[in-house]
Every structure is written in structure tokens, then in C-alpha cells.
Amino acid sequence: MFKQIGVDPACQSKRAQASGTWGALLNLAERKGRHTAHTWMDFSIGFFLVSLVCGLTLGQFGHSGKPHPNEQFIQQLRLAHENAPLIGFAMASGVCIFFGNMGLMYALCLSGVTIAVPLFSSFIVIVGTTLNYFLDRGLNKATVLFPGVACFFLAFCAGAATHILNETHVTKQKYKIDRSYHEHRAGAVPLGMEDPNRVHAPGKQGIPETVSPLQKSSALIGNNKGDLEAALPVGKSDSAADLATPPDHDPVKSVIYQDKMADQNAPQRSVKLDKSQRMFWGIGVAVLAGVVGSLFSPGFNVVTNDAFHTLAPGVEPLTVYTGYFYFTVPCLFLAFPVTQFFMMYPPLGQPKSSWSAYIKDHGILSFYGFLSGVCVSAANILQFLGGQAAGYAASDLVQANPIVATIWGIAFFKEYRKSSKAGYTCLVAMYLLYIAAVVLLAVSASTRPNQ
């Protein structure tokens, strides 16, 4: 069934994997300290090269898979004047996804993979799928399609609830640490140190005299994380500046310092904001990027199907490969001035950069950015091929890439580590809802006439 209508589950599965991986690669480069402007330039180059290579190879076979003069990539480039209106739609769609993807890159830096990607994808599906349904004149089954869209929305709500519950849990844990520390400073016996058989130094309640600092840190880790700070000597300063200073020889303070740095994200990260600022700005940028990026699929739908009848009689609409080439052209040319701007006026606490610094800054992190562009560009082509065959509304099923992205976030970036049971319950609910959405959108697909 799926192969008959052009939505091969294997291809769409690969597309979802690529879509869920490209954001993680961008996030990894930023976490390792690479300037986001440099990464974005690498991303844009990879994004464009895929369209060029696919156009010169697969694009020569047109829609039908057999050589046809009017559908060949080179021939359609020569007849660009006949398809000028559709080329305009393709480039406008490319501008939308350019700024949408760039916004997602910064949202990933700020709020992480498990928050930014679901937000971005949910808006693309809710807005883009609705517009595609009307552009395709009801090609997909509305009674199945829109319940799938509703599942995407509910999955987004479950993801938001997961984040809220996790933040609440983290806040409670921090409160326990602070309370335990201040109780100790006031002379109270901290949690985990109530053993009456322990020997305490005079005037230092809760700190065994006969236990070494390293033993204290090990014992406290096993009992209660909040007791780490309680194990600091009473004479030490409890100011933020003191605890933020890297330790020299104190094993207990070393454990506390490492924990605090892990909470505030790795010091080598390119973006320099505290956690509260990261989350606030990250959610806002992800929502804005999703709204802007949601227009790319409906715009491309017009390019390949001439939904507004802008072509002269007898002129064939652009094929997926030719349309996608024009789609990526503004992404490449916009990348240069935009990269220059963010080098001169870097946001989020990053240092200024230059093109000479970019040329010198090549290595494995540069490859991450390039590979990210290749992944998302190949994924877009698969999505558009499926949309051309079975309806662009149904092809949005591949926006379930948050399933893959969340796996990256949890397994690799350790997001939601040691969260609450309620948080994990909402996380599982989010997965199930995304799976339900994928099934419903796939079932809603129908064969497009003449395909």
C-alpha cells in the first residue's frame, strides 16, 4: 500500500532519523565550543550541495523515473523564464526554512534538544499540515489527518509537561542542597550524618573528626547529594564567588564544584548564559522558528503542483529536484551576509569572529555542521518526494523526528537525567502520542492523480 502511493516506510523512517539527528549535531558542535556562526556556514554549504548533486543525478529522470525532456533538471533550468512564478515561490520557501532552521540552531543552544525540537516540529505540523491539506484540495483523508495533527499537539503538551515537572524536581533538589548547607552552618546536624557513633570535632557538629575529606565526599555522595555542601569546613566562605572558584586540593569542594558546573552546563560551551536565561529565550526562539519554518512545506507544494495556476498552458511545473535546487539557492547566498553579521555582532555572550578565524576553525566540529546540513537536506528531499506522491499533508508525518531527537537528548546529552517519576511518565506519553500521530498521518495518505 505505502509503496503504491509513494510513501515507503523505510524511506520515511530514514528521513525521520536524519531529521532527528541534524539538530543534535548542531547542538554537539556548540557544546564543544564552536562559534555558532561558523557552524551555520558549514551547515548551509552541506544543505546546498545535496540539492545540486541530487539535481544533476536523480533530477535528470524527472517525476516518472524515466528520462523526459520537459522534466529533466538541466532542461528546466534552461526554461527558467517559463517557471518564473514557481521559482519565486521556491526561493521564498527557502528563505522561510533558512531562518526557521537558524532559529532552531540557537534554540538548541539555549534550551536543549528535548525542548527545542518538539516545539519546532509541532508548529510545523500544526500550521504546515493544515495549509497543505487545503492546497492539495482535500487529497488526504481529513477524518484521519486532523486527529493525527491533534496527536502532535498533545505530544507537544506532554513534552512541555515533562520539562515543567523536571524543572520542578531539579528546583526541589537544589532547595534540599541549600537547606542542608545552611542548617549545617547554623549548627544543625545535616542529613545522613545523624549516626551517634560518629566522633565529631569540638564545635563542628556533623563533621567526623576521624574521617578524611575524600571519605567524607564519598560517603555523602552515597547518602544525600545535599550533604556535599554540608561537609565543607565551617570556616569556609559560602559565597557564590567562593563556590564558583575551581578547587585546588579539597576533594569535597571538588565534588561540589563539578556538580555546580554540570548544572550550569559545560564551561567550554559557545553560548554563555545561565540556565534560567537559556530556557526562557530558548523556548521563545523555538516557537518563532517553528512559525516561520512552518511555511516551507506549503510553499514547496505550490512549486511542484502550481496550486495557484500561475503557469501558461502546456508548461510543466517544476519537479521536486529542480524546485528543491531553487529552494536551496537563497539559503546559500543568505548564509554569507548572515554569517558576517553574526560574526560582527555575536549574540548570547559569544566572542566576535572573522572569516580568517572561520577558515582556521576547521576540524571534526566543522564536519558536524556540514553533516548536519547534508542530513536535513536529504531528509527534505525525501519528504517532498513523499508529498508529491501521496499529499504534502501526509508527508509531514516525518516531523515526528522529536522521537529521535529526544533519544539523542536523553542518551547522549544526559537531559532529564534523574528526573521524577511523573516526568518520565509524561516523557513516555509524548513518545506514544508521536507514534500515534505518525500512524494516523500515514493512513491519511492518498494517491495523487497522474502520479
Side-chain angles (χ1 to χ4, degrees):
M1 171 185 169
F2 287 104
K3 292 191 178 197
Q4 182 181 3
I5 63 177
V7 184
D8 184 352
C11 288
Q12 298 308 318
S13 173
K14 295 296 183 183
R15 196 275 176 189
Q17 291 175 26
S19 295
T21 301
W22 75 271
L25 290 171
L26 288 180
N27 197 213
L28 179 61
E30 184 276 326
R31 286 172 180 264
K32 295 292 186 180
R34 194 159 195 263
H35 202 292
T36 52
H38 298 181
T39 302
W40 183 248
M41 192 66 229
D42 295 329
F43 172 91
S44 300
I45 294 171
F47 191 80
F48 172 78
L49 285 180
V50 170
S51 72
L52 181 62
V53 172
C54 288
L56 292 172
T57 54
L58 301 175
Q60 290 299 98
F61 295 94
H63 284 304
S64 61
K66 299 178 181 179
H68 190 285
N70 293 334
E71 294 182 354
Q72 289 181 348
F73 176 71
I74 299 296
Q75 181 65 14
Q76 286 200 327
L77 291 182
R78 291 173 179 170
L79 300 175
H81 60 282
E82 295 182 356
N83 290 287
L86 299 186
I87 292 173
F89 275 107
M91 289 188 171
S93 302
V95 171
C96 289
I97 200 60
F98 175 84
F99 287 105
N101 285 343
M102 185 174 66
L104 178 60
M105 179 185 69
Y106 282 103
L108 289 165
C109 299
L110 293 165
S111 58
V113 174
T114 53
I115 295 297
V117 175
L119 270 173
F120 180 78
S121 298
S122 296
F123 274 93
I124 285 182
V125 170
I126 294 169
V127 178
T129 301
T130 303
L131 293 176
N132 277 322
Y133 173 78
F134 291 105
L135 287 171
D136 281 335
R137 296 176 175 82
L139 177 64
N140 302 108
K141 304 178 184 71
T143 54
V144 181
L145 177 70
F146 288 105
V149 174
C151 284
F152 264 99
F153 176 74
L154 293 175
F156 157 68
C157 294
T162 303
H163 168 65
I164 293 171
L165 291 170
N166 182 67
E167 289 298 304
T168 303
H169 178 73
V170 170
T171 301
K172 288 181 179 179
Q173 294 302 313
K174 289 181 178 178
Y175 173 74
K176 288 181 180 179
I177 294 175
D178 292 340
R179 184 180 63 178
S180 176
Y181 175 60
H182 289 297
E183 284 180 355
H184 166 69
R185 298 285 293 172
V189 179
L191 296 173
M193 304 293 288
E194 301 91 341
D195 188 350
N197 296 323
R198 298 185 184 224
V199 179
H200 301 289
K204 294 185 180 181
Q205 296 185 15
I207 302 180
E209 182 181 28
T210 58
V211 180
S212 68
L214 183 59
Q215 290 173 323
K216 283 186 283 185
S217 65
S218 301
L220 289 169
I221 292 172
N223 290 316
N224 190 306
K225 187 178 177 181
D227 296 338
L228 288 174
E229 295 192 51
L232 281 172
V234 176
K236 293 282 185 179
S237 168
D238 61 348
S239 65
D242 182 63
L243 291 176
T245 304
D248 293 320
H249 304 291
D250 191 335
V252 178
K253 188 173 178 182
S254 176
V255 174
I256 299 170
Y257 172 77
Q258 292 171 10
D259 178 69
K260 285 181 175 291
M261 292 309 298
D263 178 62
Q264 295 172 4
N265 296 306
Q268 71 268 24
R269 293 194 67 159
S270 176
V271 172
K272 305 297 183 184
L273 287 177
D274 63 41
K275 191 171 183 179
S276 61
Q277 289 177 309
R278 282 177 180 273
M279 194 56 61
F280 174 77
W281 287 107
I283 291 174
V285 172
V287 169
L288 182 60
V291 172
V292 174
S294 65
L295 301 176
F296 90 100
S297 180
F300 199 85
N301 190 348
V302 174
V303 172
T304 55
N305 294 298
D306 190 25
F308 298 142
H309 307 289
T310 59
L311 298 179
V315 178
E316 291 287 334
L318 297 176
T319 65
V320 169
Y321 297 106
T322 309
Y324 191 68
F325 172 78
Y326 287 119
F327 177 90
T328 60
V329 166
C331 298
L332 179 65
F333 283 94
L334 279 173
F336 288 94
V338 169
T339 299
Q340 173 66 27
F341 177 83
F342 283 112
M343 284 179 176
M344 294 177 61
Y345 307 101
L348 310 177
Q350 297 181 99
K352 289 186 177 182
S353 186
S354 63
W355 287 105
S356 59
Y358 166 73
I359 294 172
K360 295 176 183 178
D361 184 24
H362 274 74
I364 186 63
L365 297 184
S366 176
F367 177 72
Y368 289 161
F370 177 82
L371 182 60
S372 176
V374 170
C375 284
V376 70
S377 194
N380 287 342
I381 291 178
L382 289 175
Q383 178 181 355
F384 294 151
L385 288 173
Q388 187 61 23
Y392 280 85
S395 71
D396 284 337
L397 66 89
V398 293
Q399 292 298 334
N401 54 72
I403 296 176
V404 179
T406 304
I407 293 175
W408 274 97
I410 294 173
F412 191 79
F413 297 128
K414 307 302 181 184
E415 297 176 6
Y416 296 142
R417 180 178 54 182
K418 297 181 180 179
S419 186
S420 63
K421 291 182 179 179
Y424 286 132
T425 300
C426 287
L427 190 64
V428 172
M430 182 188 75
Y431 268 99
L432 295 177
L433 286 165
Y434 274 125
I435 293 171
V438 169
V439 173
L440 289 171
L441 263 65
V443 172
S444 74
S446 300
T447 306
R448 187 184 296 277
N450 302 322
Q451 292 295 323

